Amino acid sequence: KMEGRRPPVKKARHLVERSINEEKQEVKTIIDSVKPNHETFFFLVEKNWWNQWKQYVQYDNPGTTSCAGGFRPGAIQNQNLLEPQMSKEESDSMDVDSYSVPVKSQIRREAVEDQDFVLVPKAVWEKFSNWYGGGPSISRKSVSMGIHARKIELWPVTLNVFMKRMCSPTQFAADVPTTKESSEVPLSLDMTFRDARRAICSQFSMPPHRSALYLLNDIESILYLVREDAMGMTLRDCSVKDGQVVYVVPNPPESLLQIELNSKPKATGTTS
């Protein structure tokens, strides 16, 4: 039995009523028209609730139906899909996009797709929310895995990114900011550093081709340059962990790009 705080279920003020066939047809139309490589956000729906709804509207039966195939499901119950240990602040903010709260406090690691939950397009989730209420809303973003491929990342890693300007290696090591000055960027472990740099730079409105990335090894207090010839490697290849501290440097001087900084900064942001 799981213990701990669970996020509150969204209470719909006005539920929209639809006939069985209308619900079935509207959802089918959306799902049949979805192009996975173009869809950005998908939402989790608890599997038992999904099965009950499919039985109710006789989803797998072609054509229209004259009566329900089972009981109409109640409000969506997604609470058991989430980690139970949540602060009050996290719980109170759960009815929003999942990336607005710490990713590590989200979906249970042992949850399995098609066994514990199903993924539906945003438009389907909005239909369900309007018809049945409940929740909480749990969305996950699909990330680019190349020109024609995307992947839905259920457990992205969150990088603590610092933007740093300097004119020399000495200046770089002399003044390292604190973790309070970082920006949290959730990314897929299967992204290349080239794509990760593009995502990170977009957070700071910086051109990626003119920026350098440095990874902080918080055990040895060493900063490692991600060289251009390593940009094709994935974050997983380099064992990047949740909470990894990354420094992005706009327009770095040539002297900074030719070395890997191994000086020990005065203060380091450590991973949690």
Side-chain angles (χ1 to χ4, degrees):
K1 182 179 179 180
M2 291 190 177
E3 298 179 353
R5 292 180 58 86
R6 291 290 185 191
V9 175
K10 178 182 179 181
K11 296 181 180 180
R13 295 181 179 178
H14 302 287
L15 297 181
V16 178
E17 294 186 3
R18 286 286 190 274
S19 70
I20 293 171
N21 288 311
E22 285 175 331
E23 288 191 17
K24 174 181 175 180
Q25 189 56 47
E26 288 183 36
V27 171
K28 272 185 173 293
T29 299
I30 295 170
I31 290 180
D32 290 345
S33 65
V34 165
K35 297 179 180 179
N37 290 342
H38 296 88
E39 191 77 7
T40 303
F41 281 97
F42 288 83
F43 286 70
L44 279 71
V45 176
E46 198 270 333
K47 184 63 182 293
N48 289 331
W49 188 94
W50 169 254
N51 288 341
Q52 187 177 351
W53 178 81
K54 287 181 67 178
Q55 183 179 4
Y56 168 65
V57 301
Q58 299 188 51
Y59 187 80
D60 295 323
N61 292 337
T64 59
T65 56
S66 58
C67 61
F71 292 108
R72 178 180 172 84
I76 301 170
Q77 302 291 333
N78 275 348
Q79 297 94 320
N80 288 334
L81 298 177
L82 301 173
E83 294 287 356
Q85 301 300 325
M86 304 180 71
S87 68
K88 183 177 185 302
E89 291 74 16
E90 289 174 340
S91 296
D92 291 344
S93 65
M94 269 307 300
D95 187 31
V96 291
D97 176 11
S98 60
Y99 285 121
S100 66
V101 293
V103 174
K104 62 185 177 182
S105 297
Q106 298 301 297
I107 304 170
R108 290 187 293 110
R109 283 285 175 177
E110 64 270 25
V112 179
E113 184 179 356
D114 291 328
Q115 177 178 312
D116 299 297
F117 64 89
V118 295
L119 291 163
V120 300
K122 180 180 180 181
V124 170
W125 171 260
E126 291 174 343
K127 296 282 187 184
F128 284 155
S129 184
N130 288 333
W131 296 339
Y132 295 93
S137 166
I138 310 172
S139 67
R140 280 296 180 264
K141 188 175 184 180
S142 62
V143 296
S144 173
M145 302 302 297
I147 299 177
H148 301 294
R150 299 186 71 84
K151 173 186 177 182
I152 301 171
E153 189 70 16
L154 297 175
W155 296 280
V157 292
T158 300
L159 305 185
N160 292 323
V161 181
F162 300 83
M163 195 273 286
K164 187 124 173 95
R165 300 180 185 277
M166 80 294 295
C167 57
S168 69
T170 303
Q171 181 183 355
F172 189 97
D175 181 24
V176 177
T178 65
T179 55
K180 293 182 179 179
E181 299 170 320
S182 67
S183 175
E184 294 188 345
V185 181
L187 297 174
S188 168
L189 282 173
D190 295 317
M191 291 181 73
T192 64
F193 276 102
R194 184 172 291 103
D195 289 335
R197 179 172 64 178
R198 186 180 298 111
I200 289 171
C201 289
S202 68
Q203 297 285 319
F204 296 94
S205 300
M206 296 163 46
H209 62 285
R210 295 183 180 179
S211 304
L213 295 182
Y214 287 84
L215 304 182
L216 173 66
N217 182 322
D218 61 337
I219 297 177
E220 302 175 0
S221 296
I222 297 177
L223 291 161
Y224 292 98
L225 168 68
V226 181
R227 296 182 180 277
E228 285 299 319
D229 57 6
M231 284 292 169
M233 298 179 66
T234 67
L235 276 61
R236 192 186 304 276
D237 291 335
C238 294
S239 301
V240 171
K241 305 295 184 182
D242 190 49
Q244 173 74 53
V245 173
V246 178
Y247 290 86
V248 57
V249 183
N251 299 312
E254 287 296 324
S255 59
L256 197 65
L257 290 176
Q258 295 172 1
I259 64 172
E260 293 182 0
L261 300 175
N262 58 5
S263 54
K264 293 188 176 182
K266 295 181 179 178
T268 60
T270 58
T271 58
S272 56

